[in-house]
Amino acid sequence: TSDTINVNYRPNLSVSLGADINLCDNATKDFDITTGFATQYEWISATGSTLANTATYTVSSPGGIFVGKVSS
């Protein structure tokens, strides 16, 4: 008898948003966490609220912490 095992390997996802920034009033900053192996994206606020389910997100208000989550 014999068995077959299929193994699919995906490398770890790596995303860098760069250094912290300060925004002036009425300024915006675009972020892009697109990566070749990701199938899901989520931007999360400091309070845990989902802000967007896209690879890109534009911050348009000062203050706050935003997390970009990438899944495959």
Side-chain angles (χ1 to χ4, degrees), residues 6-50:
N6 295 320
V7 177
N8 294 318
Y9 169 77
R10 292 186 182 172
N12 290 335
L13 299 173
S14 177
V15 175
S16 174
L17 297 178
D20 290 350
I21 63 164
N22 293 314
L23 284 180
C24 296
D25 289 340
N26 301 317
T28 62
K29 173 65 177 169
D30 296 324
F31 290 96
D32 187 346
I33 55 174
T34 303
T35 182
F37 295 100
T39 57
Q40 296 177 325
Y41 299 95
E42 183 179 12
W43 289 94
I44 306 166
S45 72
T47 61
S49 300
T50 297

